[in-house]
Amino acid sequence: MTRPLQLHPDRLFPADSLSRDIARKLYESVKDLPIISPHGHTDPSWFADNLPFGNPAELLIKPDHYVFRMLYSQGVPLESLGIPSRDGTPVEADPRAIWQRFADNYYLFRGTPSRMWLDTVFHDVFELDVALDGHTAELYYERIDSCLKKPEFLPRALFERFNIEVIATTESPLDDLRHHQKILDSGWNGRVITAYRPDPVLDPDYEGFADNLRQLAEITGEDTSNYAGYLAALRNRREFFKQMGATSTDHGHPTATTANLERAEAKALFARVREGNATAEDAELFRGQMLTEMARMSIDDGLVMQIHPGSVRNHNPLVFERYGRDKGADIPSRTDYVHALRPLLEAVGNEPGLTIILFTLDETSYSRELAPLAGHYPALKLGPSWWFHDSPEGMRRFREQVTETAGFYNTVGFNDDTRAFLSIPARHDVARRMDCGFLAQLVTDHRLTEDEAFELAHDLSYTLAKRAYKL
Amino acid sequence: MTRPLQLHPDRLFPADSLSRDIARKLYESVKDLPIISPHGHTDPSWFADNLPFGNPAELLIKPDHYVFRMLYSQGVPLESLGIPSRDGTPVEADPRAIWQRFADNYYLFRGTPSRMWLDTVFHDVFELDVALDGHTAELYYERIDSCLKKPEFLPRALFERFNIEVIATTESPLDDLRHHQKILDSGWNGRVITAYRPDPVLDPDYEGFADNLRQLAEITGEDTSNYAGYLAALRNRREFFKQMGATSTDHGHPTATTANLERAEAKALFARVREGNATAEDAELFRGQMLTEMARMSIDDGLVMQIHPGSVRNHNPLVFERYGRDKGADIPSRTDYVHALRPLLEAVGNEPGLTIILFTLDETSYSRELAPLAGHYPALKLGPSWWFHDSPEGMRRFREQVTETAGFYNTVGFNDDTRAFLSIPARHDVARRMDCGFLAQLVTDHRLTEDEAFELAHDLSYTLAKRAYKL
Amino acid sequence: MTRPLQLHPDRLFPADSLSRDIARKLYESVKDLPIISPHGHTDPSWFADNLPFGNPAELLIKPDHYVFRMLYSQGVPLESLGIPSRDGTPVEADPRAIWQRFADNYYLFRGTPSRMWLDTVFHDVFELDVALDGHTAELYYERIDSCLKKPEFLPRALFERFNIEVIATTESPLDDLRHHQKILDSGWNGRVITAYRPDPVLDPDYEGFADNLRQLAEITGEDTSNYAGYLAALRNRREFFKQMGATSTDHGHPTATTANLERAEAKALFARVREGNATAEDAELFRGQMLTEMARMSIDDGLVMQIHPGSVRNHNPLVFERYGRDKGADIPSRTDYVHALRPLLEAVGNEPGLTIILFTLDETSYSRELAPLAGHYPALKLGPSWWFHDSPEGMRRFREQVTETAGFYNTVGFNDDTRAFLSIPARHDVARRMDCGFLAQLVTDHRLTEDEAFELAHDLSYTLAKRAYKL
């Protein structure tokens, strides 16, 4: 007995009828606004080459760490899902078998955002109208697979169908941005820009750091063996990224530590780091120092700075050794901002022309640290609820804990932050629905007038992201 | 003027009519399911000897630290409640005087779960229909006291009336489990099993630790003066507990610290600990090492492992000196999991056959650490909201903060964790109502279909506990 | 097109109709109760001299760090708001220009408590019926300015109109309380009392600490060069404050650290501190020791003790250097209570005659530390949600996270804690509405009966504050 797959028009709206009615009207006014996607991890080659996506497993399971982390937690081996191993462990090669395994276990996602995003993709993109389970797995596979072969499911066609006004990918300074160049050269008018993510050349603990510095020198012609040359090389690549359309940088450090060292100290620290003599404290201090340097460069070149701290990467060594990075084993940890950011803020926090967007995986910092900081420093804004918190309850907690101290205008709209391209409309839709619901409740509480709520719904869905990221 | 005591059939359900209607239907489908009580502190002698419970004060006030901690916080001396002193301080001996004092102050419990549990006991077990206060204290005393003398209020009769399918008590490895043996021998078919709680022989800071090791040697015939013999003795008692019906172990350390030392290091550490030369760091490290050893033994013998960390025991030295342990003066503290559990998880976290159930008193870890960990590691599951959070708002926060990242199937249903036997049905009822309410809201939000909610209501009320604890 | 300014009678009540109806009835029963304001920062000279307040900018913008911190965070320079500089930076002198700037940016406060308080002041005090924005700025200025010149807007007239039964200001032990004396001498029967805030003479890091000790010696005739004399001087000033009407003390330390040193140790520490030889650790230890000494003095003289820890003061050095203290740059940080308070609680926590009221800026401590501590120790009570959390969502989180463990009777009603005199009725009104809403939801959930809710609404709005602060 198959069950219907339906997306109710009122989903995620508040339950009481007063608020639900208002939420419905607010949502109606923003649901068709173009998507601004200022931070994410889609692959620019999709849009450069515009080739068909692979099969359903290739498209929807193997790249989605939200999906296979949950299956793994319930005893489904990663090899049975076809996750490529680094050590030669044989993995499932049959995409139909992978899809069936996924479908058999789809009930595990009840109550999770993955379930909502996937159902929306199934329903809206592939026009499926029965629910996914072991019995409908084959039907699903056939439908999705046949769709992917059609021209209207090519990356650029989907980009247009999704009403994406602009999307940012994320690249290392060592990237030559050839895909972005190809898109620019192609005459297609989809706007796909890059963002500057220098972790591989800023973080002494990054795999291949020394090599990366050498490459950076080659690419830029700067002498990265001294601090001044190193900074010049970083500046050089920022300039190149900016010319290629970038409006922002991004920094994914383990903590929010910042530093503002005297020049001589910074030079000595860089020397230790470059020679591979850095202690763990040195490495942390260097990352902190570089955040402040990056902020200074942002004052000069106008690139918006994003900080995504607080993830303990590769928590599971067995999974890391066998399958590598980004396999669902990154775990948040307690993150201090109020002390950690002080050196950076002392240096640049009062610059009204600078925009630093802070993210967190530690929700305890919302009301205690982030909202008070963003509600004071001109340079600070708050990114939306991130990663594990990019979900209905996570978004609700973000608004409830941030708004009263930082207001709405120290936030920057929504980021989908995803490599799951097909889910982008679903993710923005969840954010718009939750924001409309939150605003509706403020109207029902008489904390906001209805006309203000309409303005804010538009701002939160569209304007704030566009303005904060200078898009 | 006495006030009526009523238990409304809709209590704890969501307020909006859409969700309330669904909650009512879901609850109707689970309210009569048998009780699975996989973790708690009832006294096995009650079921072994099946003697009448004492008077109302003896039964409901003196053993309930939730009750007397609140009274104490408002200036009611513990001696006036008859809490036995260790230092000869005279205490109230008249149970009627104690009961009157409790009744006079019963209003202090407004808004607390104790109030709900007690009212349910009063109404459902003792069929009282007026509210407890100073005026009705005597009526209450008489009714309860006379009931306790009747055969249908004997422990086994109540066990059956409460529809308990299985209950676990908690014993030290030094316990001979005579009460459990007596139950087994009695022919009574109530299922009362033990759980293995080795803190007294694992924690160097436990009172009488050295003596405990000697006793452990005697009981098992193993030489606990060396690490191998010590481990063998622990394994030996696990085996005995398992034969007596145990399916789980339990560990109540001050933190979640774990360690995975080289054998030689572990042996040297054990030597220091055994000889009483352990520093505070040694003691902490040893507890951590033993959690990993216990997990390894669980892989072998299949006992489910529970970890209950994060309580600062005996925070109030005056109360501890005068009245001893468990007198309402245990206070939670900040608890790290993401770093603390890493050694254990590196060693055994990927074992799909192992089940480790984590609890917390630090709700900030729900969304930041516990849900991400349990949503990745095959060996990890999350226990329900614990102790101070075993309450309507605490349960709501647990589901709201855990579900989106860990789903429902990395949780294990409800634990009552209580020594207050009469309140067990009330506690499970609160959990079922709150879960049905949470599910109903997901249905109202269209995040879940109604048929899924019915399945989940059954799983959360019954199946998950039974399966996770292998009952 | 001007928009109307309306205060809906149902504002802040729960959205579902069951709870909203009950909330309305509860609120009706408490809305006209007199205001008890046991902790705040109004200026006693207002009531002593009873002179007209200045212009709108002087009254509502320049002293309100909630207001100008938000404007500053969005790029409005503090000098453009007329905030007086310490370094000679020229600042806007025209109050109309300041008001216009504020009005132009008033939309930034959407969703914040400042917006609610201000709108209530505009509507209820100045009888404005159009919303504030750039177009209505002048109308607002004229109306407010002309009101302030009328006798019914003099401080004492407003005090009476606001139905304030008693208000506490906050003064240093070095203050001569001349304004309070003038009020007492005046024959006016408004009750304005002081509170003893000894930070300037207890905290070695306080500006001018050494000088402050010298002044303290002069005022009291005690020899503050030795510990006994220093304690005697503090006791002496407590006695004076008490004679002048004070019923409480207040302590705003960076952390909740307490200590209970041996006398010889304390004397040696004081010597180091007095001579300016204290390390950072010494200073912290000394503040901790003094909290315990203050608690001991409270046992003797009966003054209620308040502890307001956890703010990192003057986080922004540029703002501090140019504009000084209290300019919206104080940021909360993680605050431990369970370990930090242990020395104090060991010394005095079991005293039923002592009242220590704890506040926090770290909401994670509500359910994990503060409610368990207050639900056990006779001396402890919990102050209401504070500062950044003195807001609808903040109040809701406080009640939801505290009540189940500490009950209602370990809390102390509402504190407005403000220097914004005109907003006092609005702030108490928000608290009463939120408490009535919370109680209404407990009634709707059938966790509380309606008659209990009426009693509690009265207690939370009036009785608890009066009783806890001995007013």
Side-chain angles (χ1 to χ4, degrees):
Chain A
M1 44 144 266
T2 56
R3 295 177 308 181
L5 173 63
Q6 288 166 334
L7 301 184
H8 197 284
D10 284 344
R11 63 193 184 279
L12 297 180
F13 292 159
D16 71 277
S17 59
L18 284 177
S19 308
R20 187 163 277 200
D21 287 349
I22 299 165
R24 215 181 268 131
K25 287 190 288 180
L26 293 173
Y27 174 72
E28 199 56 41
S29 77
V30 299
K31 73 183 172 60
D32 296 323
L33 287 172
I35 287 175
I36 304 287
S37 175
H39 175 76
H41 300 276
T42 52
D43 185 337
S45 73
W46 297 335
F47 310 110
D49 302 336
N50 203 31
L51 297 174
F53 289 108
N55 59 61
E58 207 65 51
L59 178 65
L60 296 170
I61 301 173
K62 288 162 71 171
D64 191 337
H65 54 75
Y66 287 86
V67 165
F68 57 73
R69 81 191 305 277
M70 176 66 90
L71 297 171
Y72 185 65
S73 80
Q74 286 281 314
V76 180
L78 292 180
E79 45 273 34
S80 80
L81 297 168
I83 309 304
S85 67
R86 306 199 296 180
D87 64 355
T89 304
V91 309
E92 178 65 62
D94 177 5
R96 286 170 192 271
I98 295 170
W99 187 262
Q100 183 69 47
R101 213 159 274 137
F102 167 59
D104 289 341
N105 289 288
Y106 192 56
Y107 72 98
L108 296 174
F109 294 93
R110 288 169 177 168
T112 70
S114 292
R115 153 73 182 271
M116 297 189 52
W117 299 327
L118 285 162
D119 274 1
T120 307
V121 169
F122 298 153
H123 185 276
D124 285 355
V125 180
F126 299 111
E127 297 177 24
L128 286 151
D129 58 8
V130 295
L132 178 63
D133 59 28
H135 305 293
T136 59
E138 210 178 308
L139 166 72
Y140 263 69
Y141 192 94
E142 293 305 330
R143 169 72 61 85
I144 297 171
D145 201 53
S146 69
C147 281
L148 295 182
K149 298 183 165 79
K150 297 181 192 169
E152 59 266 40
F153 289 83
L154 290 176
R156 291 184 183 179
L158 289 174
F159 185 103
E160 286 158 10
R161 173 171 164 193
F162 292 168
N163 195 17
I164 296 173
E165 183 173 315
V166 55
I167 196 168
T169 64
T170 305
E171 272 78 33
S172 153
L174 306 177
D175 196 290
D176 62 9
L177 305 184
R178 75 180 66 180
H179 302 302
H180 291 83
Q181 189 60 57
K182 188 169 173 186
I183 295 167
L184 289 172
D185 294 345
S186 73
W188 177 56
N189 61 9
R191 187 169 171 208
V192 179
I193 61 176
T194 183
Y196 182 80
R197 171 92 169 215
D199 300 356
V201 294
L202 287 194
D203 179 357
D205 294 334
Y206 207 94
E207 296 140 45
F209 177 70
D211 257 1
N212 295 344
L213 287 200
R214 266 187 293 276
Q215 271 191 64
L216 182 65
E218 267 170 49
I219 297 172
T220 60
E222 298 285 350
D223 176 4
T224 62
S225 73
N226 66 73
Y227 194 50
Y230 170 66
L231 294 182
L234 293 170
R235 209 176 277 119
N236 174 311
R237 293 308 282 168
R238 293 173 65 106
E239 191 50 40
F240 173 63
F241 272 59
K242 196 178 163 183
Q243 282 165 21
M244 292 294 290
T247 70
S248 65
T249 73
D250 185 31
H251 306 275
H253 293 193
T255 72
T257 294
T258 64
N260 188 16
L261 303 174
E262 297 295 320
R263 187 68 174 193
E265 241 184 308
K267 285 171 69 172
L269 176 62
F270 176 69
R272 289 199 299 284
V273 158
R274 200 187 61 80
E275 288 155 18
N277 296 327
T279 62
E281 288 71 35
D282 280 343
E284 178 71 357
L285 187 64
F286 186 72
R287 287 186 292 262
Q289 172 66 14
M290 292 315 297
L291 285 185
T292 307
E293 298 288 5
M294 289 293 110
R296 286 206 188 92
M297 292 185 196
S298 277
I299 294 176
D300 294 339
D301 62 22
L303 293 180
V304 169
M305 182 174 186
Q306 301 173 88
I307 306 181
H308 281 91
S311 179
V312 176
R313 302 275 169 177
N314 311 313
H315 193 271
N316 188 334
L318 185 143
V319 165
F320 179 65
E321 279 154 33
R322 186 163 294 168
Y323 303 98
R325 281 179 161 264
D326 298 328
K327 292 299 175 289
D330 299 334
I331 311 288
S333 73
R334 219 145 59 194
T335 307
D336 163 65
Y337 292 86
V338 67
H339 301 103
L341 291 177
R342 214 168 179 179
L344 174 83
L345 292 172
E346 181 168 355
V348 302
N350 294 289
E351 293 288 334
L354 173 65
T355 300
I356 302 174
I357 300 174
L358 295 175
F359 293 80
T360 197
L361 292 169
D362 180 354
E363 295 181 308
T364 67
S365 66
Y366 285 156
S367 74
R368 188 183 56 215
E369 303 180 27
L370 292 179
L373 286 167
H376 167 68
Y377 282 99
L380 290 185
K381 299 256 179 306
L382 301 185
S385 53
W386 176 39
W387 199 333
F388 295 110
H389 313 311
D390 174 17
S391 59
E393 300 299 335
M395 289 175 185
R396 186 200 316 283
R397 287 195 292 272
F398 175 79
R399 289 282 175 221
E400 286 179 355
Q401 293 175 30
V402 155
T403 309
E404 294 182 323
T405 295
F408 289 105
Y409 293 93
N410 282 305
T411 66
V412 301
F414 181 65
N415 281 188
D416 55 70
D417 193 14
T418 191
R419 68 198 73 230
F421 178 52
L422 270 67
S423 74
I424 287 178
R427 289 170 190 252
H428 285 259
D429 189 63
V430 168
R432 290 175 184 185
R433 287 176 178 276
M434 291 306 298
D435 280 338
C436 289
F438 181 72
L439 293 169
Q441 287 174 313
L442 294 186
V443 174
T444 304
D445 280 10
H446 305 287
R447 285 191 258 178
L448 214 56
T449 62
E450 210 167 296
D451 59 334
E452 290 177 302
F454 275 99
E455 264 183 60
L456 279 163
H458 194 277
D459 288 342
L460 301 183
S461 301
Y462 182 78
T463 323
L464 287 180
K466 191 159 171 160
R467 193 189 304 154
Y469 285 90
K470 305 182 179 178
L471 291 168
Chain B
M1 45 143 266
T2 57
R3 294 177 309 181
L5 173 63
Q6 288 167 333
L7 301 182
H8 197 283
D10 284 345
R11 63 192 184 279
L12 296 180
F13 292 159
D16 70 278
S17 59
L18 285 176
S19 308
R20 186 164 278 199
D21 288 348
I22 299 165
R24 215 181 268 132
K25 289 191 287 181
L26 294 171
Y27 175 71
E28 199 56 40
S29 77
V30 299
K31 73 183 172 58
D32 296 323
L33 287 171
I35 287 175
I36 305 286
S37 176
H39 175 75
H41 299 277
T42 52
D43 184 338
S45 73
W46 297 335
F47 310 110
D49 301 336
N50 203 32
L51 297 174
F53 288 109
N55 60 62
E58 207 64 53
L59 178 65
L60 297 171
I61 301 172
K62 289 162 70 172
D64 192 337
H65 55 75
Y66 287 86
V67 166
F68 60 72
R69 81 190 306 276
M70 176 66 89
L71 297 172
Y72 185 64
S73 80
Q74 287 280 316
V76 180
L78 292 180
E79 46 272 37
S80 80
L81 297 167
I83 309 305
S85 67
R86 305 198 297 180
D87 64 354
T89 304
V91 308
E92 178 65 63
D94 176 7
R96 286 170 193 270
I98 295 170
W99 187 262
Q100 184 69 48
R101 213 159 274 136
F102 167 59
D104 288 341
N105 289 287
Y106 192 56
Y107 73 96
L108 296 173
F109 294 94
R110 287 170 177 169
T112 71
S114 293
R115 151 73 181 270
M116 297 189 54
W117 300 328
L118 285 162
D119 274 1
T120 307
V121 169
F122 298 151
H123 185 276
D124 285 356
V125 180
F126 298 112
E127 297 178 25
L128 286 151
D129 58 8
V130 294
L132 179 63
D133 59 28
H135 305 294
T136 59
E138 210 177 309
L139 167 73
Y140 263 69
Y141 192 94
E142 292 305 328
R143 170 73 61 85
I144 297 171
D145 201 51
S146 69
C147 281
L148 295 182
K149 299 185 164 79
K150 296 181 191 169
E152 59 267 38
F153 289 84
L154 290 176
R156 291 184 183 179
L158 288 174
F159 185 103
E160 287 157 10
R161 174 173 163 190
F162 291 168
N163 195 20
I164 297 173
E165 183 173 315
V166 55
I167 196 169
T169 64
T170 305
E171 273 77 33
S172 153
L174 306 177
D175 195 291
D176 61 10
L177 304 183
R178 76 180 65 181
H179 303 302
H180 292 84
Q181 189 60 56
K182 189 170 174 186
I183 295 166
L184 289 171
D185 293 345
S186 74
W188 178 55
N189 62 9
R191 188 170 171 206
V192 179
I193 62 177
T194 183
Y196 182 82
R197 171 92 171 217
D199 301 356
V201 294
L202 288 194
D203 178 357
D205 293 335
Y206 207 94
E207 294 140 45
F209 177 69
D211 257 2
N212 295 342
L213 288 201
R214 267 188 291 277
Q215 270 191 63
L216 181 66
E218 266 171 47
I219 296 171
T220 61
E222 299 286 350
D223 177 4
T224 62
S225 73
N226 66 73
Y227 194 50
Y230 170 66
L231 294 182
L234 293 170
R235 208 176 278 118
N236 174 310
R237 292 308 282 169
R238 293 172 66 105
E239 192 51 40
F240 172 63
F241 271 59
K242 194 177 166 184
Q243 282 165 23
M244 292 294 290
T247 70
S248 67
T249 72
D250 185 31
H251 307 274
H253 293 192
T255 73
T257 295
T258 64
N260 187 18
L261 304 174
E262 297 296 319
R263 187 69 173 195
E265 239 185 310
K267 285 172 69 173
L269 176 62
F270 176 69
R272 290 199 299 284
V273 158
R274 200 187 60 82
E275 288 155 17
N277 297 327
T279 62
E281 289 71 35
D282 281 342
E284 178 71 356
L285 186 64
F286 186 72
R287 286 186 293 262
Q289 173 66 12
M290 292 315 297
L291 283 186
T292 306
E293 297 289 5
M294 289 293 110
R296 285 204 188 92
M297 292 185 197
S298 276
I299 295 175
D300 295 338
D301 63 22
L303 293 181
V304 169
M305 183 174 185
Q306 300 172 90
I307 306 181
H308 282 90
S311 179
V312 176
R313 303 274 169 178
N314 312 313
H315 192 272
N316 188 334
L318 183 144
V319 165
F320 180 64
E321 278 154 34
R322 185 164 295 168
Y323 303 98
R325 280 179 160 263
D326 298 328
K327 293 298 175 290
D330 299 334
I331 310 289
S333 74
R334 221 145 58 193
T335 307
D336 163 66
Y337 292 86
V338 68
H339 301 104
L341 290 177
R342 214 168 178 178
L344 174 85
L345 291 171
E346 180 167 357
V348 303
N350 294 290
E351 293 288 334
L354 174 65
T355 300
I356 301 174
I357 300 174
L358 295 175
F359 293 80
T360 197
L361 292 170
D362 180 355
E363 295 182 307
T364 67
S365 66
Y366 284 157
S367 74
R368 187 182 57 216
E369 304 181 27
L370 292 179
L373 287 166
H376 168 68
Y377 282 99
L380 291 185
K381 299 256 178 306
L382 301 186
S385 53
W386 176 39
W387 199 334
F388 295 109
H389 312 310
D390 175 17
S391 58
E393 299 300 334
M395 290 176 185
R396 185 201 316 282
R397 286 195 292 271
F398 176 79
R399 289 284 175 219
E400 285 178 356
Q401 293 175 29
V402 154
T403 308
E404 294 182 324
T405 295
F408 289 106
Y409 294 93
N410 282 306
T411 65
V412 301
F414 182 65
N415 282 189
D416 55 70
D417 193 14
T418 191
R419 67 198 74 229
F421 178 51
L422 269 68
S423 73
I424 287 178
R427 289 170 191 252
H428 285 260
D429 189 63
V430 169
R432 289 175 185 185
R433 288 176 177 275
M434 290 306 298
D435 280 338
C436 289
F438 181 73
L439 293 168
Q441 286 174 313
L442 294 185
V443 173
T444 305
D445 279 9
H446 306 285
R447 285 193 258 178
L448 214 56
T449 63
E450 208 167 299
D451 60 334
E452 290 177 302
F454 276 99
E455 265 183 60
L456 279 164
H458 194 276
D459 288 343
L460 301 183
S461 302
Y462 182 79
T463 322
L464 287 181
K466 191 159 173 162
R467 194 190 302 154
Y469 284 90
K470 306 183 178 176
L471 292 169
Chain C
M1 44 143 264
T2 57
R3 293 178 309 182
L5 173 64
Q6 288 167 334
L7 301 183
H8 197 284
D10 284 345
R11 64 192 184 278
L12 297 180
F13 292 159
D16 71 277
S17 59
L18 284 177
S19 309
R20 186 163 278 199
D21 288 348
I22 299 165
R24 216 180 267 132
K25 288 191 288 181
L26 293 173
Y27 174 71
E28 198 57 39
S29 77
V30 298
K31 73 183 171 60
D32 296 324
L33 286 172
I35 287 175
I36 304 287
S37 176
H39 174 76
H41 300 277
T42 52
D43 184 336
S45 73
W46 298 335
F47 310 111
D49 301 337
N50 203 33
L51 297 174
F53 288 109
N55 59 62
E58 207 65 54
L59 178 66
L60 296 170
I61 301 173
K62 287 161 73 171
D64 190 338
H65 56 73
Y66 288 85
V67 165
F68 59 72
R69 81 190 305 277
M70 176 67 89
L71 297 172
Y72 185 65
S73 80
Q74 287 280 315
V76 180
L78 293 180
E79 46 272 35
S80 80
L81 297 168
I83 309 305
S85 68
R86 305 199 297 179
D87 64 355
T89 305
V91 308
E92 177 65 63
D94 176 7
R96 287 170 192 270
I98 295 170
W99 187 263
Q100 183 69 47
R101 212 160 273 137
F102 167 59
D104 288 341
N105 288 288
Y106 192 56
Y107 72 97
L108 296 173
F109 295 93
R110 288 169 176 169
T112 70
S114 292
R115 153 72 182 270
M116 298 190 53
W117 300 328
L118 285 162
D119 274 1
T120 307
V121 169
F122 298 152
H123 186 276
D124 286 355
V125 180
F126 298 111
E127 295 176 27
L128 286 152
D129 57 8
V130 295
L132 179 63
D133 58 27
H135 305 294
T136 59
E138 209 177 309
L139 167 72
Y140 263 69
Y141 192 93
E142 293 305 329
R143 170 73 60 87
I144 297 171
D145 202 52
S146 69
C147 281
L148 295 181
K149 298 184 165 79
K150 297 181 192 169
E152 60 267 38
F153 289 84
L154 290 177
R156 290 186 183 178
L158 288 174
F159 185 102
E160 286 157 11
R161 174 171 165 193
F162 291 168
N163 195 18
I164 296 173
E165 182 173 315
V166 55
I167 197 168
T169 64
T170 305
E171 273 77 33
S172 152
L174 306 178
D175 195 290
D176 61 10
L177 305 184
R178 76 180 68 181
H179 303 302
H180 291 84
Q181 189 60 55
K182 187 169 174 185
I183 296 166
L184 289 171
D185 293 345
S186 74
W188 178 54
N189 62 8
R191 188 171 170 206
V192 179
I193 61 177
T194 183
Y196 182 81
R197 171 92 170 216
D199 301 357
V201 294
L202 288 194
D203 178 357
D205 294 334
Y206 207 94
E207 295 140 46
F209 177 69
D211 257 1
N212 295 343
L213 288 201
R214 266 188 292 276
Q215 270 191 62
L216 182 66
E218 265 171 49
I219 296 172
T220 60
E222 299 285 348
D223 177 5
T224 63
S225 73
N226 68 74
Y227 195 49
Y230 170 66
L231 295 182
L234 293 170
R235 208 175 280 118
N236 173 309
R237 292 308 283 168
R238 293 173 65 105
E239 192 50 40
F240 172 63
F241 271 60
K242 196 177 163 185
Q243 282 166 21
M244 292 294 290
T247 70
S248 66
T249 72
D250 185 32
H251 307 274
H253 293 192
T255 73
T257 295
T258 64
N260 187 17
L261 304 173
E262 296 296 320
R263 186 70 174 194
E265 240 184 309
K267 285 171 68 172
L269 177 62
F270 176 70
R272 289 200 298 284
V273 158
R274 199 186 61 82
E275 289 155 16
N277 297 327
T279 63
E281 289 71 36
D282 280 342
E284 177 72 356
L285 187 64
F286 186 71
R287 286 186 293 262
Q289 172 66 13
M290 291 316 296
L291 284 186
T292 307
E293 297 289 4
M294 290 292 109
R296 285 206 188 92
M297 292 185 197
S298 277
I299 295 175
D300 294 339
D301 62 22
L303 292 181
V304 169
M305 183 174 183
Q306 301 172 89
I307 305 181
H308 282 92
S311 180
V312 176
R313 302 275 169 176
N314 311 314
H315 192 272
N316 188 333
L318 183 144
V319 165
F320 180 64
E321 278 153 36
R322 185 163 297 167
Y323 304 99
R325 283 180 159 261
D326 299 327
K327 292 298 174 289
D330 300 333
I331 310 288
S333 75
R334 222 145 60 194
T335 308
D336 163 66
Y337 293 86
V338 67
H339 301 104
L341 291 177
R342 214 168 179 178
L344 173 83
L345 291 171
E346 181 168 355
V348 303
N350 294 289
E351 294 288 335
L354 174 66
T355 300
I356 301 173
I357 300 174
L358 295 174
F359 293 80
T360 198
L361 292 170
D362 180 354
E363 296 181 309
T364 68
S365 66
Y366 284 157
S367 74
R368 187 183 57 215
E369 304 180 28
L370 292 180
L373 287 167
H376 167 69
Y377 283 99
L380 290 185
K381 299 257 179 306
L382 301 185
S385 53
W386 176 38
W387 199 334
F388 296 109
H389 312 312
D390 175 16
S391 58
E393 300 298 334
M395 290 175 184
R396 186 200 317 282
R397 287 195 292 271
F398 176 80
R399 289 284 175 219
E400 286 179 356
Q401 293 175 29
V402 154
T403 309
E404 294 183 323
T405 294
F408 289 105
Y409 293 94
N410 283 305
T411 65
V412 302
F414 182 65
N415 281 188
D416 55 70
D417 194 13
T418 192
R419 68 197 73 228
F421 178 51
L422 269 67
S423 73
I424 286 178
R427 290 169 190 252
H428 285 259
D429 189 64
V430 168
R432 289 175 185 186
R433 287 175 177 276
M434 291 305 298
D435 280 337
C436 288
F438 182 73
L439 293 168
Q441 286 173 313
L442 294 185
V443 173
T444 305
D445 281 8
H446 305 287
R447 285 192 257 178
L448 214 56
T449 62
E450 209 166 297
D451 59 335
E452 290 176 302
F454 276 99
E455 264 182 61
L456 280 163
H458 194 278
D459 288 343
L460 301 183
S461 302
Y462 181 78
T463 323
L464 287 180
K466 190 159 171 162
R467 194 190 302 153
Y469 284 89
K470 306 184 178 176
L471 292 167

